[in-house]
Amino acid sequence: MNYFVTGATGFIGRFLVARLLKREDSRVFALVRPGSEYKLEALRRRLGVEERRLVPITGDLTRKSLGLSKRDLDDLTGQIDHFFHLAAIYDLNADENTQRYTNIEGTRQTLKLAEQLQAGCFHHVSSVAAGGLYPGTFSEDMFEEASGLDNPYLLTKHESEALVRQESQIPWRIYRPSLVVGHSQTGEMDKIDGPYYFFKLIQKLKDYLPNWFPLVGVESGHFNIVPVDFVASALDHIAHQPEGNGQCFHLTAERSYNFSEVMDIIAGAAQAPRMPVRLDNRVFNAVPGFVKKGVNALTPKALINQLLESLDIPPTIVQFLAFPTQYDNQRTMAALEGSGIGVPDLESYIQQLWDFWENHLDPERDQRKDELQPLPSLPDKVEDKIVLITGATSGIGKASALKLARAGATVLVVARTPEKLEETLHEIKQVGGIARAYRCDVSKLESVDDLVKEVLADYGRVDILVNNAGHSIRRSVVNSVYRFHDFERTMQLNYFGSLRLIMRLLPSMLEQGSGHVINISSIGVLTNAPRFSAYVASKAALDSFTRCAASELAHQGIRFTTINMPLVRTPMIAPTKLYNHVPTISPSQAADMICDAIVRQPKRIATSLGILGQVMHFITPRATETIMNTGYKLFSDSAAAVGRRERTPKRISREQAAFSRLFKGIHW
């Protein structure tokens, strides 16, 4: 099969060409400008393909028939099965004439060439920008409904797409990617664009503020972000489907993020201050007009522009921070069904994006004086390591086991239920990992002793211990007066069980001169969460032991990390139906915290809100106690906590919703 590609050496183009050339007997004819042939040669070497399969076609996007020679026209006529048009200008700072000349007239000439070559199908890579600033959800069938096209980029993307729709004489398909970022596995990116404009700001915050310092964000705009490898894979797959001519496909993620969420996710990768408190953009609508005018008068536009430029943020991007449009992608999802092609959550690959930017795209990378060596990758840290995880068949433990096995660790999964152990082993094998299951009830000390004997007999050591198994009880003190066993149960598993594992494995760690113990604690230890006295006390006991042990064993190569987890959506919180309606993090996000602990080996990992809670309890204990007491009164004990049948509430009150969002991740 033969392909003609414009923009083949561009960012998306390089990855698309790689996928096209994986197809049997495929050939790609790539348009290159005179003097740029070396770019295609570099791409050919990178892909390891022979010259006859990746052929340069010299031309120019702005010339008639793209400037192809008569010989090339004669040779290619009737030979092109698919014509991909990716070449365009994407630069918010480019002037309107340049964008119009390249994006619109370039598309016109490209379309005429495809018709002249009698191509089987014309694939036009547009952008969600073609919908402009439409207020609402823009579907794949919408086009004329586009609005807010004042910006030259939005306008030229819309008009170039109109050309294909109105003038094409051959079958066509249109693709609208959303904000395209780097490769989800490698982070590879070729320029500063989209969310990358704010990387420098976050780096500055990291330089000048401690990472626990909480910032206030604004929940404004809708940002739909996709990695380049998804875009290229989706393009390749959909282009070869028998159905789809005359249709448009949104290459977008299932969910969008508001501005504060994007900044918070990037800050997490950068180890910069987070934004635990976020204000709804509508709150500013209540500000009187005279106040807004006064603020504007005190902050001259030139001063704002100078500040933005010092952070490498183009002033023109500010108008897009309240981007109003979301995108429906049902047709695309239907076309990709069964292909295995999907958009990963931004949280799962943001670290790769940040690391690549910091090492390759940061304009100050040569001037910055980094005292620390670059961190190793997770595979570097866990290759040939034995990692034991308790509570490994659900929630945080299972998600961590899968991530670590995929990274190359030998994972020892520990839990009570044989059926769930076998299920987890099967899933690990499906991702190519190595694991072994051990049945153990960590709350029974004799069972822990048997576990350690068996593991040491099998492997001789444990390099990393993750004490994840735990039991939580949500019940107020007044309702626990006659339930002393609540405190005994939590202490038995959360403290004594974890402590027994540490003490039994410690001699072998000391003998080998290394070891890492990761204890999964709770944000409640930092915030003194009401209704969790039994749970928090047991976790606090383990935290205290850990700090003492770390001080004694630091010189012997034994490392300890405490992770004060926020509220995670796991089976442990399922009995409290109220939690179905409050913000939580996913088990995968919690597992990322464990992976981060393994790579960096910090003393503690906690959210900025958790650290703030601890600081506030120290600095202003009475005021902080009042806040926590307000939360206690606002919520109530669950039905199960007072001996009644638990039912899922249809909704929570506006006050409860606002309070839980303001203190996201804290147990109430």
Side-chain angles (χ1 to χ4, degrees):
M1 192 168 287
N2 293 329
Y3 306 91
F4 194 103
V5 182
T6 70
T9 58
F11 185 50
I12 299 176
R14 298 198 302 270
F15 291 97
L16 174 62
V17 167
R19 280 155 179 77
L20 296 177
L21 289 172
K22 287 182 179 179
R23 294 182 173 271
E24 190 175 357
D25 298 325
S26 60
R27 298 181 73 196
V28 174
F29 298 90
L31 183 75
V32 293
R33 288 178 296 181
S36 295
E37 293 85 356
Y38 71 93
K39 293 183 179 180
L40 198 70
E41 178 60 32
L43 179 59
R44 184 187 296 115
R45 290 196 302 269
R46 173 178 174 174
L47 299 178
V49 296
E50 55 269 34
E51 189 172 351
R52 69 173 188 84
R53 295 193 61 210
L54 183 54
V55 183
I57 302 295
T58 304
D60 190 323
L61 200 65
T62 61
R63 296 178 59 188
K64 182 180 179 180
S65 298
L66 304 192
L68 265 67
S69 67
K70 184 177 184 305
R71 178 178 178 179
D72 285 337
L73 288 171
D74 291 342
D75 289 345
L76 295 176
T77 298
Q79 301 300 311
I80 302 300
D81 299 289
H82 296 276
F83 195 115
F84 287 91
H85 178 43
L86 289 86
I89 286 182
Y90 178 32
D91 185 350
L92 294 174
N93 292 318
D95 64 88
E96 183 173 355
N97 288 337
T98 301
Q99 292 196 57
R100 180 174 290 276
Y101 196 58
T102 302
N103 293 353
I104 299 176
E105 293 306 315
T107 298
R108 191 191 308 277
Q109 296 303 327
T110 302
L111 184 58
K112 288 182 178 179
L113 173 63
E115 294 169 353
Q116 187 176 353
L117 297 181
Q118 302 168 20
C121 186
F122 185 78
H123 301 277
H124 178 64
V125 181
S126 180
S127 166
V128 292
L133 301 177
Y134 180 82
T137 300
F138 204 76
S139 75
E140 292 162 305
D141 288 324
M142 295 170 69
F143 177 70
E144 298 293 344
E145 296 85 347
S147 60
L149 296 168
D150 298 334
N151 180 273
Y153 178 71
L154 304 181
L155 178 64
T156 56
K157 278 299 181 183
H158 182 82
E159 292 191 6
S160 61
E161 188 175 312
L163 280 174
V164 178
R165 292 173 175 273
Q166 298 166 8
E167 299 184 11
S168 180
Q169 303 299 311
I170 59 176
W172 56 266
R173 300 183 188 188
I174 291 172
Y175 309 87
R176 296 175 183 157
S178 53
L179 285 171
V180 182
V181 295
H183 196 287
S184 65
Q185 299 298 317
T186 65
E188 180 182 348
M189 182 63 171
D190 66 346
K191 66 175 182 176
I192 305 295
D193 188 27
Y196 291 87
Y197 284 125
F198 298 97
F199 279 34
K200 177 57 67 177
L201 169 61
I202 290 172
Q203 188 187 64
K204 296 292 186 186
L205 292 173
K206 173 187 177 182
D207 289 343
Y208 295 111
L209 295 173
N211 64 359
W212 56 263
F213 192 90
L215 299 176
V216 178
V218 179
E219 294 184 339
S220 174
H222 301 287
F223 298 89
N224 195 288
I225 298 172
V226 291
V228 67
D229 44 314
F230 161 75
V231 175
S233 296
L235 271 171
D236 173 49
H237 181 80
I238 296 173
H240 291 89
Q241 297 300 295
E243 304 294 330
N245 288 346
Q247 294 181 332
C248 175
F249 299 87
H250 279 168
L251 307 185
T252 58
E254 287 293 285
R255 63 160 294 193
S256 296
Y257 299 86
N258 63 51
F259 179 66
S260 284
E261 287 176 320
V262 173
M263 293 290 282
D264 193 59
I265 291 169
I266 300 171
Q271 297 297 312
R274 306 289 293 270
M275 295 183 181
V277 180
R278 301 170 192 166
L279 302 178
D280 193 309
N281 187 47
R282 290 171 293 184
V283 74
F284 296 102
N285 294 335
V287 178
F290 72 89
V291 175
K292 294 180 181 177
K293 290 181 180 179
V295 172
N296 288 336
L298 292 172
T299 52
K301 186 176 181 180
L303 182 61
I304 295 175
N305 289 348
Q306 184 177 355
L307 174 62
L308 292 174
E309 289 174 3
S310 70
L311 295 169
D312 299 322
I313 301 174
T316 52
I317 202 173
V318 175
Q319 64 180 302
F320 296 105
L321 297 186
F323 198 80
T325 316
Q326 300 200 67
Y327 303 98
D328 171 77
N329 62 357
Q330 293 185 37
R331 179 180 295 132
T332 299
M333 291 298 98
L336 295 177
E337 186 175 2
S339 67
I341 300 170
V343 184
D345 292 335
L346 178 61
E347 295 91 335
S348 70
Y349 63 93
I350 188 62
Q351 191 66 57
Q352 289 89 317
L353 303 187
W354 176 265
D355 291 344
F356 190 90
W357 173 83
E358 203 165 38
N359 292 321
H360 301 279
L361 297 177
D362 178 9
E364 297 178 350
R365 62 188 179 277
D366 293 331
Q367 289 76 40
R368 288 180 62 84
K369 297 179 179 179
D370 293 325
E371 297 179 0
L372 300 177
Q373 294 295 320
L375 287 173
S377 66
L378 182 63
D380 290 336
K381 291 293 289 187
V382 301
E383 186 178 6
D384 299 326
K385 298 293 185 182
I386 308 298
V387 183
L388 189 151
I389 305 175
T390 63
T393 57
S394 67
I396 300 171
K398 186 174 184 178
S400 302
L402 287 166
K403 287 179 182 286
L404 292 171
R406 191 182 291 114
T410 297
V411 181
L412 312 184
V413 292
V414 177
R416 293 179 299 173
T417 310
E419 295 78 14
K420 290 186 177 181
L421 283 169
E422 288 303 318
E423 179 184 312
T424 303
L425 278 185
H426 176 72
E427 291 188 38
I428 291 174
K429 290 178 181 177
Q430 290 294 103
V431 300
I434 300 173
R436 184 163 177 176
Y438 292 87
R439 185 181 179 186
C440 175
D441 184 346
V442 181
S443 67
K444 297 178 180 179
L445 304 186
E446 297 81 3
S447 182
V448 173
D449 292 345
D450 292 340
L451 167 68
V452 173
K453 288 178 182 178
E454 190 175 354
V455 167
L456 293 181
D458 292 338
Y459 292 95
R461 74 185 199 279
V462 168
D463 299 297
I464 302 169
L465 167 64
V466 181
N467 274 316
N468 170 68
H471 179 62
S472 175
I473 296 177
R474 181 181 184 269
R475 183 176 286 116
S476 61
V477 173
V478 295
N479 286 320
S480 302
V481 172
Y482 300 106
R483 297 182 60 91
F484 191 76
H485 60 278
D486 283 355
F487 298 87
E488 293 177 315
R489 289 163 60 199
T490 53
M491 287 295 289
Q492 188 63 31
L493 174 58
N494 300 347
Y495 179 56
F496 288 118
S498 298
L499 182 60
R500 188 73 156 210
L501 256 177
I502 296 171
M503 300 298 276
R504 288 291 183 263
L505 287 173
L506 193 55
S508 61
M509 289 183 174
L510 290 170
E511 184 178 347
Q512 69 189 31
S514 65
H516 189 189
V517 177
I518 300 172
N519 293 323
I520 307 304
S521 185
S522 167
I523 190 175
V525 175
L526 304 177
T527 61
N528 304 313
R531 286 195 178 83
F532 287 90
S533 56
Y535 177 62
V536 168
S538 64
K539 290 296 187 181
L542 185 61
D543 287 10
S544 296
F545 165 81
T546 299
R547 290 194 297 272
C548 293
S551 299
E552 295 180 22
L553 301 170
H555 69 291
Q556 299 194 56
I558 311 300
R559 300 288 176 261
F560 289 84
T561 299
T562 296
I563 303 180
N564 294 105
M565 285 286 181
L567 194 60
V568 184
R569 190 164 298 282
T570 66
M572 189 170 72
I573 71 167
T576 305
K577 304 304 180 185
L578 169 72
Y579 288 153
N580 292 342
H581 305 280
V582 301
T584 60
I585 68 171
S586 69
S588 179
Q589 290 171 292
D592 287 337
M593 296 172 75
I594 293 174
C595 293
D596 180 44
I598 292 173
V599 171
R600 295 192 299 114
Q601 295 187 335
K603 304 304 298 178
R604 182 185 302 278
I605 293 179
T607 63
S608 53
L609 187 59
I611 297 296
L612 176 64
Q614 187 179 45
V615 171
M616 294 304 291
H617 271 291
F618 179 77
I619 297 176
T620 57
R622 188 176 296 277
T624 308
E625 182 182 86
T626 300
I627 294 173
M628 303 305 285
N629 183 250
T630 300
Y632 173 75
K633 292 184 292 185
L634 191 59
F635 296 88
S636 61
D637 275 23
S638 65
V642 293
R644 298 196 307 267
R645 183 178 179 183
E646 184 79 10
R647 293 183 179 180
T648 304
K650 292 183 179 179
R651 61 179 63 89
I652 59 177
S653 70
R654 294 172 63 181
E655 292 79 8
Q656 288 173 323
F659 203 81
S660 62
R661 286 182 65 81
L662 188 61
F663 298 100
K664 182 178 180 181
I666 294 181
H667 306 61
W668 295 104

